[in-house]
Amino acid sequence: MTPMEKAGWTPLPHSDEDLERSKSVPDTPQTRAETYRLAWNDPDFMTRRELRAVRLQLELLKPEMILAERGIRSTVILFGGARLPEPGGEAWAAKNETQRKNLEANSKYYEEARKFARLCSQQSATSYYREYVVVTGGGPGVMEAGNRGADDVGAPSIGLNIVLPHEQAPNAYVTPELCFNFHYFAIRKMHFVMRAKAVAVFPGGFGTMDEFFETLTLIQTGRMERVPVILFGKAFWQRAIDLDFLAEQGTISPGDQDIIDFVDTADEAWDIIRRFYKLGE
């Protein structure tokens, strides 16, 4: 079934038809003018600052429509550092010897992320990959491990990339037709949480912290349903953040720390999700 057939019959010409017709007009000074371009097929017009609201809407709609057409109803998010190498791999992001040693030591979380994604994807297979689909930021490190784990068991996975000042290509394990690219961080974050049934957070830096705390805020304020939020690496996170200190200071409520769970292995994390959703019962 073509997109036009899915949309239903109409006596009016479809936009793709008119786009082809517009390419066959005579070549004249008038038809070469920028003003003659169809507005939505004019990159110069579509990237004007005044069109920001339209671009925001398009970035929300494109992935939403594709995921809905694919039948994907829920996801499991893997957040974590792009700089973590796989075990035995080069710590390419290290700026000194201390960082190299720590990144290599933390490479164990690459393997745990990969295993965790396999467990999620095996559950996803029972719903024909409509539920518990792995989603990552689409880049290297922990993100690569997540998409790779899904690929290990022949499952699709989603990658939500973003344009950055330095080159970042999607990792090779993202399902190509579920690989998206964003200009707006805000819309990308919305797509992370819109279908999330669980959030797994691995050691990372500012980007990981940003995504983690935004999710915490949504749950704490009641703007998002309570879902498992799982931090991999208790020793890492207890030094990186101190939620007990915030509770003592009164800047969060006592018990807000209970929004999260600490684990060290993929099996522990999946057991939390399994018990939360009563899977297999």
Side-chain angles (χ1 to χ4, degrees):
M1 182 179 290
T2 67
M4 287 187 291
E5 289 171 330
K6 288 181 181 179
W9 180 83
T10 173
L12 302 174
H14 288 272
S15 56
D16 57 344
E17 295 172 328
D18 269 358
L19 178 60
E20 290 304 312
R21 289 168 183 161
S22 72
K23 295 175 182 177
S24 61
V25 297
D27 183 23
T28 69
Q30 291 76 23
T31 61
R32 289 196 296 271
E34 293 182 5
T35 51
Y36 187 76
R37 298 175 188 166
L38 290 166
W40 42 266
N41 193 45
D42 182 349
D44 294 326
F45 176 67
M46 287 298 296
T47 54
R48 288 180 59 156
R49 291 190 177 185
E50 297 92 335
L51 272 289
R52 179 176 290 154
V54 175
R55 293 193 301 274
L56 285 162
Q57 183 179 23
L58 290 174
E59 284 209 342
L60 181 65
L61 277 173
K62 182 180 178 180
E64 175 65 18
M65 291 170 66
I66 291 171
L67 293 175
E69 288 168 0
R70 182 85 177 214
I72 295 174
R73 296 190 292 256
S74 72
T75 58
V76 177
I77 308 171
L78 275 74
F79 290 139
R83 305 181 185 200
L84 267 63
E86 65 176 302
E90 179 188 0
W92 56 268
K95 299 298 189 289
N96 53 53
E97 187 61 18
T98 299
Q99 287 196 347
R100 184 186 67 79
K101 288 181 179 178
N102 286 329
L103 285 169
E104 288 177 355
N106 284 326
S107 67
K108 62 186 178 183
Y109 295 113
Y110 180 107
E111 196 56 43
E112 289 302 325
R114 185 176 175 182
K115 182 176 180 181
F116 176 69
R118 287 200 296 266
L119 294 171
C120 296
S121 298
Q122 286 165 350
Q123 176 64 38
S124 183
T126 67
S127 64
Y128 302 97
Y129 304 114
R130 293 186 177 94
E131 305 279 358
Y132 301 99
V133 179
V134 166
V135 57
T136 80
V142 167
M143 296 173 279
E144 176 187 283
N147 297 118
R148 187 176 181 180
D151 187 68
D152 286 341
V153 292
S157 67
I158 304 164
L160 305 181
N161 281 81
I162 191 158
V163 179
L164 296 173
H166 54 84
E167 182 180 353
Q168 177 182 302
N171 70 67
Y173 303 100
V174 181
T175 301
E177 59 269 27
L178 297 176
C179 188
F180 303 96
N181 200 17
F182 292 84
H183 172 66
Y184 296 106
F185 265 105
I187 301 299
R188 179 177 181 250
K189 290 176 181 177
M190 285 187 66
H191 278 293
F192 269 125
V193 300
M194 281 169 63
R195 289 175 167 80
K197 275 195 170 178
V199 182
V201 188
F202 295 78
F206 289 158
T208 302
M209 296 284 190
D210 174 48
E211 293 156 342
F212 166 50
F213 276 102
E214 187 138 23
T215 305
L216 281 187
T217 301
L218 289 170
I219 294 173
Q220 182 208 40
T221 56
R223 296 292 298 168
M224 178 179 174
E225 292 288 336
R226 180 76 177 265
V227 302
V229 178
I230 304 165
L231 298 188
F232 275 75
K234 188 170 185 178
F236 175 91
W237 287 108
Q238 286 186 332
R239 285 201 63 184
I241 59 172
D242 191 342
L243 297 183
D244 290 334
F245 174 76
L246 295 181
E248 290 170 4
Q249 296 298 306
T251 55
I252 63 175
S253 297
D256 279 346
Q257 311 99 301
D258 299 335
I259 294 173
I260 63 176
D261 291 289
F262 293 97
V263 302
D264 287 308
T265 69
D267 288 326
E268 292 176 272
W270 180 249
D271 193 54
I272 289 170
I273 296 170
R274 182 187 58 78
R275 286 187 281 108
F276 188 91
Y277 289 109
K278 299 180 174 59
L279 299 175
E281 294 185 3

